Amino acid sequence: MDLSEFQWQLDRPIRMKTAEFEREGRLKHCIFASQFDRPLLQKTCFIADMIRVLSRTREGSNKLRELLSHKRAMLYFAQPSTRTFLSFMAACQILGITCNEVRDPSLSSEVKKESPLDSIRMFSSYFDLIIMRSNITQFAECCAYLMNDLAQNSMRSVPIVNGGAGSNEHPTQALLDVYTIDRTFQFGQKEASSKSRIMDLRRKYSNLTHGLDNKIYAFCGDLGRGRTVRSLATVLSQYQNTTMVFVAPPDETLQLDSELRDHLISKNVQIYELDSLDAAINGVPILKQIDCLYMTRIQKEHDTPEMAASYQSLDLSHFKLTRDRVEQMKDYAPILHPFPRDSEEAEIPTEIDKDPRAMYFRQARNGMWARAALLLHICDGVDQLHTLYKEFYGVTAEESLVI
Ligand code: NCD
């Protein structure tokens, strides 16, 4: 694929690119996790809450489906995907967006040597939004430049949403991860039924605060090749007084890469790099100290024969959860995983699923709300959602405590 025509644009630092992916104070394309600054995250989490609440009733769901019923989306997933694909599809359905899909480019005209960039331009003729996943790291970014060039020439141009690019970026996964962590660290304060748990928790954990600031986040597993870790760590680096603990096997290809490390240091994140979940910092086991644990699988599908051979000597048991390990964790600390988990390696054995800290299935469901919120934001439907909420409940979402 010839992406070289965008080379000078690709070669710039990210901070120079992001303004081109916005319009009228909104995201136009969602390509990088760093596009999610704190105000946008807060806003998107709030929209996701509103959509979640309205979806509880048939009437609410019917109204939500009217919001974007005039839009069509193409889901172009050239890499395996279950959750991301289905949750984007469900998000479209929640908002009334009609979807179509290409999941296997070998069934498209790409077998007739059509370039993927031509495919994208063709989709933009029929659809109002393109959600895509590619194994080519910068493909979604190039598609966004293609759309911007078309817009500049007064031609049809549609938003591009990155559903996972190479080993580099997975911005919407970071969005749903933050939504899940934020909901956990509200400690029930927004729910009408349960009074805030934080007072009880503070008896045991005296420094505990609401929200994502002042927390210790641990990431475990294949940190070198996992795009979800890269995107989430980038987004979390904006929060105050953040510590990150990276637990990966002792092989450079699986560990935190220097670019991300440098970025986190530049954001004043305190970093620890360790080679076992049983490791300690200042004599205290990390599992007792962390506020959130993000597990990942070893992504064997990317192994070269040389990598596979060198990984033989690694003891992966240091990167798997066990009952004993979970027991050491704080009562409220969520266990997240982007999934899929590896059923053979069992980095999270199924016996952990019943633990109240196991948040990964809720995290996947939150992906649907968070992605619907993002699509509504991109398609400029948020004001209408606020109107709908007020009509429905007689109060604005800001006034209503029952989120
Ligand atoms: C991940 C991905 O594809 O990057 N899954 C996901 O999107 N939920 C992680 C993985 O495949 O391990």
Side-chain angles (χ1 to χ4, degrees):
M1 185 186 331
D2 191 18
L3 303 181
S4 57
E5 58 184 293
F6 300 106
Q7 202 57 51
W8 72 268
Q9 286 148 299
L10 292 171
D11 288 342
R12 299 169 301 164
I14 285 190
R15 70 191 140 73
M16 292 177 67
K17 301 173 177 177
T18 47
E20 292 167 20
F21 299 156
E22 289 169 17
R23 68 172 158 207
E24 295 155 17
R26 287 183 284 123
L27 293 191
K28 175 179 177 190
H29 307 293
C30 174
I31 306 297
F32 306 118
S34 59
Q35 288 179 273
F36 290 114
D37 58 18
R38 287 186 67 156
L40 180 58
L41 285 167
Q42 199 183 356
K43 192 174 148 185
T44 317
C45 291
F46 194 71
I47 302 168
D49 276 341
M50 290 167 73
I51 294 173
R52 191 163 52 77
V53 170
L54 279 161
S55 290
R56 285 186 192 142
T57 62
R58 174 194 280 245
E59 295 77 15
S61 305
N62 288 343
K63 288 282 176 201
L64 282 170
R65 269 200 299 280
E66 288 171 17
L67 288 175
L68 294 179
S69 56
H70 56 303
K71 298 281 186 192
R72 283 187 298 276
M74 166 51 86
L75 294 165
Y76 177 64
F77 274 61
Q79 242 192 339
S81 175
T82 307
R83 269 145 298 276
T84 308
F85 177 83
L86 289 177
S87 70
F88 263 119
M89 183 171 257
C92 287
Q93 288 164 347
I94 288 168
L95 299 169
I97 302 174
T98 310
C99 318
N100 228 311
E101 64 186 75
V102 169
R103 298 198 67 172
D104 181 358
S106 71
L107 300 177
S108 78
S109 284
E110 286 177 30
V111 264
K112 302 178 192 165
K113 305 278 181 236
E114 178 164 72
S115 84
L117 280 170
D118 267 1
S119 302
I120 293 290
R121 183 155 177 198
M122 223 32 84
F123 299 151
S124 76
S125 311
Y126 306 130
F127 296 93
D128 303 297
L129 180 70
I130 300 171
I131 302 162
M132 56 183 292
R133 169 173 282 198
S134 170
N135 57 348
I136 299 157
T137 304
Q138 291 169 315
F139 187 49
E141 186 182 342
C142 288
C143 293
Y145 295 135
L146 172 69
M147 290 300 138
N148 283 0
D149 288 349
L150 291 170
Q152 255 176 10
N153 291 305
S154 308
M155 285 189 263
R156 190 176 159 75
S157 161
V158 304
I160 303 288
V161 176
N162 179 0
S167 61
N168 232 16
E169 286 273 0
H170 200 342
T172 64
Q173 179 73 39
L175 175 67
L176 75 94
D177 293 339
V178 165
Y179 181 52
T180 305
I181 299 169
D182 186 52
R183 268 167 61 73
T184 309
F185 292 163
Q186 294 301 329
F187 302 113
Q189 74 170 347
K190 286 190 191 163
E191 284 153 37
S193 48
S194 64
K195 73 172 178 50
S196 174
R197 286 173 60 218
I198 198 159
M199 289 310 196
D200 294 339
L201 287 167
R202 274 197 191 131
R203 276 187 215 121
K204 198 164 167 190
Y205 310 105
S206 52
N207 295 329
L208 188 61
T209 54
H210 283 121
L212 289 90
D213 296 304
N214 311 310
K215 299 288 185 296
I216 303 178
Y217 298 94
F219 299 87
C220 175
D222 191 343
L223 310 184
R225 300 181 293 186
R227 54 194 170 193
T228 62
V229 169
R230 194 182 308 266
S231 287
L232 179 58
T234 303
V235 171
L236 290 175
S237 70
Q238 306 174 73
Y239 291 89
Q240 298 298 311
N241 187 25
T242 296
T243 301
M244 295 189 193
V245 181
F246 294 95
V247 185
D251 190 298
E252 213 184 320
T253 51
L254 303 173
Q255 292 173 323
L256 181 66
D257 72 52
S258 56
E259 200 185 321
L260 180 58
R261 185 185 300 116
D262 292 347
H263 172 76
L264 298 174
I265 291 170
S266 77
K267 297 289 218 169
N268 294 323
V269 176
Q270 177 150 22
I271 296 177
Y272 295 92
E273 290 177 71
L274 304 170
D275 60 6
S276 170
L277 279 170
D278 298 324
I281 301 173
N282 299 329
V284 182
I286 49 157
L287 287 171
K288 288 186 193 289
Q289 300 193 50
I290 59 177
D291 296 290
C292 174
L293 175 59
Y294 197 88
M295 296 293 295
T296 64
R297 71 189 170 92
I298 305 293
Q299 302 198 357
K300 294 178 189 154
E301 70 274 26
H302 303 304
D303 287 0
T304 59
E306 295 74 35
M307 285 172 173
S310 87
Y311 295 165
Q312 290 286 327
S313 59
L314 298 174
D315 178 359
L316 295 181
S317 67
H318 293 290
F319 313 97
K320 295 177 187 178
L321 280 182
T322 59
R323 279 224 153 276
D324 282 354
R325 286 179 174 145
V326 173
E327 285 317 317
Q328 295 180 57
M329 291 173 58
K330 292 176 175 169
D331 299 346
Y332 61 84
I335 301 166
L336 304 177
H337 191 309
F339 265 41
R341 64 179 154 186
D342 185 328
S343 55
E344 286 169 14
E345 291 291 348
E347 66 276 7
I348 304 185
T350 50
E351 61 171 347
I352 308 294
D353 296 358
K354 287 198 187 77
D355 191 284
R357 287 162 287 203
M359 211 54 76
Y360 26 92
F361 287 107
R362 263 195 249 178
Q363 177 189 3
R365 184 163 169 82
N366 283 339
M368 187 170 75
W369 311 123
R371 289 181 168 124
L374 175 69
L375 297 182
L376 195 64
H377 165 81
I378 289 175
C379 297
D380 200 15
V382 174
D383 288 348
Q384 257 179 292
L385 175 69
H386 280 282
T387 310
L388 163 60
Y389 194 97
K390 175 100 196 282
E391 274 170 18
F392 212 77
Y393 291 105
V395 285
T396 64
E398 286 82 357
E399 286 162 352
S400 130
L401 281 175
V402 193
I403 291 278

